[in-house]
Each structure stands twice: as structure tokens, then as C-alpha cells.
Amino acid sequence: MSWTRDRLKTNGRIAFKKNYWSCVAVAVIMGIITGLSGVNGGRAGGSASQNSLYGTDGFGYPFAGLAITMTAIIVTLIILALEIFVGSLLEVGGKRFFVLNKTENPTVGTIFDAFRSGNYVNVVLAMFLKNLFTSLWTLLFVIPGIVKHYEYLMIPYILAENPGMDRKEAFQISKRMMDGQKMETFILDLSFIGWILLSAITCGIAGIFYVNPYREATFAELYAFNKAQAYEEGYIR
């Protein structure tokens, strides 16, 4: 038995609507994490253009250029540290919220569960390696990078329920869960394009109040299906 996009999205929509405001709040916090990553990437790309504007060509103000470059580096490092040591924990906590929301009515405070699990270092390291490996594969070859993204997709969910799990085991379980499902999951992602465009047209309002929590709830359904299948096949107990 396999999942279908319609079934996952229908179940996700039902789960999201029954605990609406908490889902919206958690999705907003998770969206801020994503926004930090985007700001960090944009800032890194923009520092070179700032350098040329402020004196590296000999006609500007070299000290001003140096100050701006150093400021950009410091801000980038601060954002990167927040992503690694705070953002990854909030991502895992957010996934835990949406997994629990399938059968319960968790509170917004659930997003902080990863901080309280007693396995802070393990979660941070596993998520750091997940993001690092995905980024390196993407830099080398774009398509393998996309494949690795979907191969590692279940890792935050696995850590959400098993924060003390050895990171190698978490990677292996995610890889097995996603075996034969990566293309269908990519298509599931694509099925939200219309909603994402609506979010853009409404200046993010539709994203905050509907699209983002709906998508998170849908992917939590995917994890729930994969976990049930993993129990059936016996590679998790």
C-alpha cells in the first residue's frame, strides 16, 4: 500500500484546521528560521558588490568598505550561529508539533521540546550534518543535491520523536523511508506551487494563515505513513 497526494493533503488539512491557531503560530516560527537562511545566503552574495562600491577600485573610501565588509561578515556569522544552535532545534520542535497534531492538540510550546529533551548536542550535530551534506551535494551537482534533500527529509521528524538517536541511524532510517518515494515527494512539493503563488500575491498573508501550516501538516502525514510502514517492515521497533 502506498500513499497518495490527495490523501496526505486531505488528512493534513483536517489536522491543521482542528488546531488552527497553534498550527499558524508554529508555522510562523518555522518560517522565520527559513527566512534567516535566506537572509544569510543573500548577505553572503551581496558582500562582494558592497566591496566594489566602497573603495576597492581606488576611488572610494577603503576604510568604509572594510568596515562594511567586516560588519557583513560578523552579521553573517551571527545568523549562521543562530541557524545552527537555535534554528535547527526549532525546526525539529516544529516537526514534533505537527506530528503530534495528527492525533492530539499540542500547544505552541511544543516547538521548544528539542531544547528540553536533554539531547541538545546530538540534535544540533545531526541537523548540522544533514544541512552540510545537502549543501555540498548541491554545490557539486544540483540534481544529486535535490535527491539528497529528499533522502534526508525524514531526519527532523525522526529526531523529533527520538532526539537521542545516533545520527548515523537517523540518516539510515530516513534513507530507507524515502527509498522509492523521492520523485513522488518532489511532485507533492510541486503540488503546492499554486498555493505558494497565492501567498506571494497576497504579500505572504495567505502563507501565514493557510499555506505554510497546511504544507507542514501534509508532510507530517507523509512521515506518519512512512513510520507505520517502517514498523510493518521491521526496520524500526
Side-chain angles (χ1 to χ4, degrees), residues 35-114:
L36 276 177
S37 300
V39 168
N40 197 28
R43 190 175 296 278
S47 60
S49 60
Q50 289 175 342
N51 230 14
S52 64
L53 285 172
Y54 288 93
T56 55
D57 58 1
F59 294 100
Y61 303 92
F63 292 109
L66 179 61
I68 289 172
T69 300
M70 291 303 297
T71 300
I73 291 172
I74 291 169
V75 171
T76 298
L77 290 175
I78 290 172
I79 293 175
L80 182 60
L82 286 174
E83 288 177 28
I84 295 172
F85 297 107
V86 179
S88 60
L89 275 291
L90 292 176
E91 181 181 352
V92 169
K95 303 302 187 187
R96 176 173 173 77
F97 170 90
F98 279 100
V99 169
L100 291 175
N101 191 65
K102 177 176 171 61
T103 56
E104 305 173 23
N105 287 308
T107 64
V108 176
T110 303
I111 198 171
F112 301 106
D113 278 4

Side-chain angles (χ1 to χ4, degrees), residues 3-16 18 95 98-103 154 157 181 188 214-228:
W3 54 267
T4 65
R5 291 189 298 278
D6 287 343
R7 175 60 63 85
L8 292 186
K9 294 174 83 170
T10 297
N11 290 348
R13 189 162 53 246
I14 292 169
F16 151 50
K18 74 180 176 65
K95 303 302 187 187
F98 279 100
V99 169
L100 291 175
N101 191 65
K102 177 176 171 61
T103 56
M154 297 290 105
Y157 297 95
Q181 294 193 29
L188 175 63
Y214 172 31
R215 184 181 179 280
E216 289 292 342
T218 299
F219 277 86
E221 292 289 332
L222 173 61
Y223 169 70
F225 173 88
N226 284 340
K227 183 175 73 169

Side-chain angles (χ1 to χ4, degrees), residues 135-142:
S135 297
L136 290 176
W137 276 103
T138 303
L139 286 174
L140 291 172
F141 307 101
V142 175

